[in-house]
Amino acid sequence: MSILATVRDRRRERPVNRPPGGLGRTPVSYSVLVVLGLFAILPVLVLVFNSFKSSLEIGANPLGLPATLDLSNFAAAWRRGNMARGFANTAFLVAGTILGTWLVAGAAAYSLARLNLPGKRKIETYLFVVISLPVQMFIVPLFFLWVKLGLINTLVGLVVIYVALNTPFSVLLLRTFLVGIPKELDEAARLDGANEWQVATRVILPLSWPGFMTVGLVSGLGAYSELLFAVTFLIDVEKMPVATSFFQFSQGYSQLYNLVNAAGVIIVLPLIVLFLLMQRRFIAGLAASGSKG
Amino acid sequence: MPPRRRVRRRRNSRLVAIAFVLPALALNLLVIGGPTVSSIGYSFTDWNGITTPEFVGLENWRRLVGDEAFWNAIGNNFVYLLIFLTVPMAMGLVGAFMLSRIRRGAALFRVLYFIPYLLVSVITAQIWRNILDPEFGLASALNDVGIHWLDEVYFFADGRFALYSVAFVDNWHFWGFLVVLFLAAMQGIDAGQYEAARIDGANAWQEFWHIVLPGIRPTLTFALTIVAIGSLLVYDYPFILTGGGPAGATDVASLMVNRTAFLARDAGYGSAIALALSVLSAIFLVLFGFLRRREEEV
């Protein structure tokens, strides 16, 4: 039997193991699920609808479908909200956080999982303790330390914080991926004359990329949406990521409902598209990071 | 291989291992470990963030005990906690259980429930600020059909509703995450248990109570933990929607920390508030950790 046929068979088999149900047998479930679904999605639709309306139209028709699909709000929001700059800042934060976390946490996880590191247990315990520390425990001295180091009001300073915040969880997650790779593989590479760096990047990395994808997704998503550190550690509007500058914009121009809605759609669109493309990894990653967020 | 070379190789490999873990540890000490320790120290001083701090003993702690603003904020945190331990937990459990019972459309519902969790907090806040606006939102839409219940209801500006409104928005954003979390755990339950229950004639409620709930207990404890800690440390939605107002009605401890330490430059006292908050969340962590350990023994 070909592999494809096996996969198809297994697919067909699956529903048998699952509890029975169907529209006819579970009308109560379906009605509850639809109500919950409407509760979740209608407010998002209102945002999308209103992003096409003029302020006047919003006043007359605050919740319903727009009369026309007018895109001028998006152009105006992009310009007046200076979103090009905001997205550039966000891109820097997200890329810096992902790369930094991969590098720092990846190296540490590699050492914990596969190298001859003394005091492994102690380091792991430290990481567990650090994960449970609330931000409030260190934010006050950190702020004044960043003032002293000249890192306040800089994107680099914020990236350093994000990388540090993501590292403990990422190390522990990546470690579980790295432990699973057979030792024989890197020993064979070493016998062939590869050094530690080559073993790590050429042998181990390709085998553990799902872990790195999850870590990248969680830390990148965090950097995209983070608010507390961004509003506390950045002062100039020119330096703010797009979500934080949206906040400033929406406070300052609360009457420009249409533009605020359009800007909101622009900001969340990349997230939703990304989620629809890689649902499984999103859910696994966010569940593993375990933040209330 | 002669023994001395083996020893050197061992030492070498240790040095490489330490070099790999060093950046993570150094960064961690700089951003989290170091400031955490100094936070404890500063809570006993009159530090303003700039000048040399002076030791004031237990003065900050005495002030904390008598500070009505602090007790108001912590009280609001506990209201938030009670709301979050019940409403999203119930919605998450119901949603996940219903989803686990249907076959067609489950994937679609899961996506719908998860989308609010993906939205950035500032935009979630904007959505609901618009909908709950007394002039341009739901109220005006209801006016068109002759219902005037919401005309003078200021959800975020009226002290009677503000905290619940903020919690409502936060919950709208969060509950779908619990559905997905619980659903994953429910799918891990052995299908044979359902079969057995059905043969015994169990109805849906009995199935939920006797099979599903015990089956997902570790996940349930995990969810309770993150909900409890998240409610104690909540910052985003009170900050965005109300800034703690009106008149402290939605003030929470983490807002107070930032206000005290960074705006009023009362960093010593701010550290004390932060430390008190951290101790409180540590108590919850230990409590739930104890619960989990007892479960593992059972």
Side-chain angles (χ1 to χ4, degrees):
Chain A
M1 201 190 288
S2 73
I3 291 177
L4 258 175
T6 322
V7 170
R8 216 180 311 130
D9 273 9
R10 280 176 67 190
R11 275 220 182 125
R12 212 176 292 142
E13 237 170 317
R14 221 163 68 207
V16 180
N17 296 331
R18 290 179 54 187
L23 193 52
R25 295 195 51 183
T26 47
V28 179
S29 295
Y30 272 101
S31 33
V32 172
L33 289 171
V34 167
V35 169
L36 288 176
L38 291 176
F39 174 65
I41 211 66
L42 283 183
V44 183
L45 290 182
V46 169
L47 176 80
V48 176
F49 293 164
N50 286 359
S51 68
F52 290 103
K53 298 175 191 167
S54 66
S55 276
L56 214 65
E57 197 187 342
I58 293 180
N61 170 21
L63 304 178
L65 280 162
T68 55
L69 282 183
D70 182 6
L71 292 174
S72 63
N73 283 340
F74 294 96
W78 183 267
R79 215 176 40 245
R80 290 189 64 173
N82 226 331
M83 292 182 77
R85 192 193 55 209
F87 268 110
N89 292 338
T90 296
F92 181 84
L93 282 178
V94 169
T97 303
I98 293 177
L99 288 177
T101 308
W102 274 348
L103 213 64
V104 172
Y110 180 70
S111 181
L112 277 171
R114 313 190 71 87
L115 298 181
N116 177 23
L117 181 72
K120 276 185 194 181
R121 290 296 301 245
K122 275 185 197 138
I123 292 173
E124 274 165 29
T125 312
Y126 174 76
L127 292 176
F128 270 115
V129 170
V130 168
I131 285 180
S132 355
L133 279 181
V135 167
Q136 279 76 11
M137 189 71 209
F138 52 86
I139 192 170
V140 178
L142 182 65
F143 178 85
F144 294 105
L145 179 67
W146 252 222
V147 172
K148 209 179 279 174
L149 296 177
L151 287 170
I152 207 83
N153 200 22
T154 67
L155 290 172
V156 173
L158 203 55
V159 167
V160 172
I161 295 175
Y162 288 162
V163 171
L165 291 179
N166 280 308
T167 295
F169 140 78
S170 306
V171 170
L172 294 173
L173 187 88
L174 288 174
R175 200 192 67 96
T176 60
F177 277 87
L178 294 172
V179 164
I181 299 169
K183 284 246 182 214
E184 289 77 23
L185 280 179
D186 31 327
E187 265 151 33
R190 274 193 205 105
L191 280 182
D192 287 345
N195 61 32
E196 285 306 326
W197 177 252
Q198 285 167 327
V199 172
T201 53
R202 302 264 174 83
V203 181
I204 306 298
L205 198 59
L207 289 171
S208 55
W209 72 268
F212 279 89
M213 287 298 284
T214 305
V215 162
L217 196 65
V218 170
S219 54
L221 214 58
Y224 193 93
S225 315
E226 206 279 333
L227 185 70
L228 170 54
F229 281 96
V231 296
T232 311
F233 283 69
L234 295 177
I235 298 151
D236 297 334
V237 181
E238 292 86 54
K239 299 222 170 101
M240 285 183 180
V242 70
T244 316
S245 63
F246 171 88
F247 175 61
Q248 303 279 353
F249 184 72
S250 66
Q251 301 288 88
Y253 296 89
S254 56
Q255 295 314 308
L256 299 176
Y257 278 136
N258 51 338
L259 297 195
V260 169
N261 287 323
V265 170
I266 295 174
I267 293 170
V268 298
L269 204 61
L271 292 179
I272 293 182
V273 170
L274 200 66
F275 167 66
L276 294 177
L277 289 178
M278 23 197 318
Q279 266 189 64
R280 233 164 245 280
R281 190 166 309 287
F282 254 78
I283 288 171
L286 292 172
S289 75
S291 73
K292 188 182 152 292
Chain B
M1 205 189 287
R4 200 193 287 157
R5 250 183 82 191
R6 202 182 298 154
V7 166
R8 194 181 306 150
R9 228 189 118 166
R10 263 190 82 82
R11 197 183 304 144
N12 241 338
S13 75
R14 279 189 166 203
L15 284 180
V16 170
I18 291 172
F20 267 67
V21 87
L22 212 55
L25 286 185
L27 192 63
N28 215 279
L29 284 177
L30 177 75
V31 175
I32 302 176
T36 296
V37 173
S38 51
S39 202
I40 299 171
Y42 287 135
S43 71
F44 297 97
T45 68
D46 65 352
W47 194 38
N48 59 13
I50 303 156
T51 54
T52 317
E54 224 161 278
F55 183 74
V56 294
L58 292 175
E59 183 50 40
N60 285 331
W61 298 98
R62 216 169 286 137
R63 189 173 149 198
L64 188 74
V65 172
D67 191 344
E68 270 176 38
F70 173 72
W71 292 113
N72 170 53
I74 283 287
N76 287 338
N77 276 113
F78 271 91
V79 173
Y80 218 85
L81 177 75
L82 283 182
I83 295 172
F84 266 81
L85 285 180
T86 48
V87 180
M89 290 299 270
M91 289 173 73
L93 281 172
V94 168
F97 182 58
M98 302 279 172
L99 267 184
S100 74
R101 291 168 63 78
I102 67 164
R103 214 178 294 157
R104 208 159 297 171
L108 173 71
F109 283 119
R110 204 177 58 167
V111 168
L112 289 183
Y113 299 165
F114 203 70
I115 282 178
Y117 184 69
L118 288 172
L119 302 189
V120 182
S121 57
V122 285
I123 290 161
T124 305
Q126 188 59 39
I127 290 176
W128 283 102
R129 217 174 354 210
N130 286 355
I131 294 179
L132 297 179
D133 190 295
E135 277 172 62
F136 297 105
L138 193 59
S140 106
L142 287 177
N143 277 348
D144 293 343
V145 292
I147 300 173
H148 293 276
W149 296 339
L150 298 179
D151 282 5
E152 291 299 316
V153 182
Y154 291 85
F155 285 96
F156 300 111
D158 187 327
R160 287 172 300 170
F161 312 127
L163 186 59
Y164 302 102
S165 305
V166 171
F168 170 83
V169 175
D170 197 345
N171 173 46
W172 178 80
H173 157 80
F174 177 63
W175 72 277
F177 173 74
L178 288 184
V179 171
V180 170
L181 192 72
F182 290 148
L183 183 64
M186 286 177 193
Q187 280 164 347
I189 297 174
D190 178 20
Q193 291 196 35
Y194 290 105
E195 298 291 316
R198 279 196 197 123
I199 290 166
D200 289 346
N203 59 27
W205 171 249
Q206 287 165 329
E207 229 175 85
F208 177 74
W209 194 250
H210 294 291
I211 294 170
V212 173
L213 273 191
I216 65 164
R217 246 168 73 178
T219 309
L220 216 51
T221 321
F222 171 73
L224 286 173
T225 313
I226 60 170
V227 163
I229 304 296
S231 307
L232 285 178
L233 305 176
V234 59
Y235 180 83
D236 280 20
Y237 287 100
F239 172 74
I240 302 164
L241 285 166
T242 59
T250 58
D251 201 19
V252 289
S254 59
L255 280 180
M256 197 181 168
V257 170
N258 280 27
R259 207 169 53 226
T260 311
F262 306 133
L263 290 180
R265 290 270 161 165
D266 203 347
Y269 186 47
S271 298
I273 304 171
L275 194 59
L277 186 61
S278 305
V279 169
L280 207 59
S281 65
I283 291 173
F284 273 86
L285 266 184
V286 170
L287 214 71
F288 285 116
F290 180 72
L291 216 67
R292 207 167 342 179
R293 204 159 314 138
R294 248 191 46 193
E295 247 161 46
E296 277 158 16
E297 278 165 20
V298 169

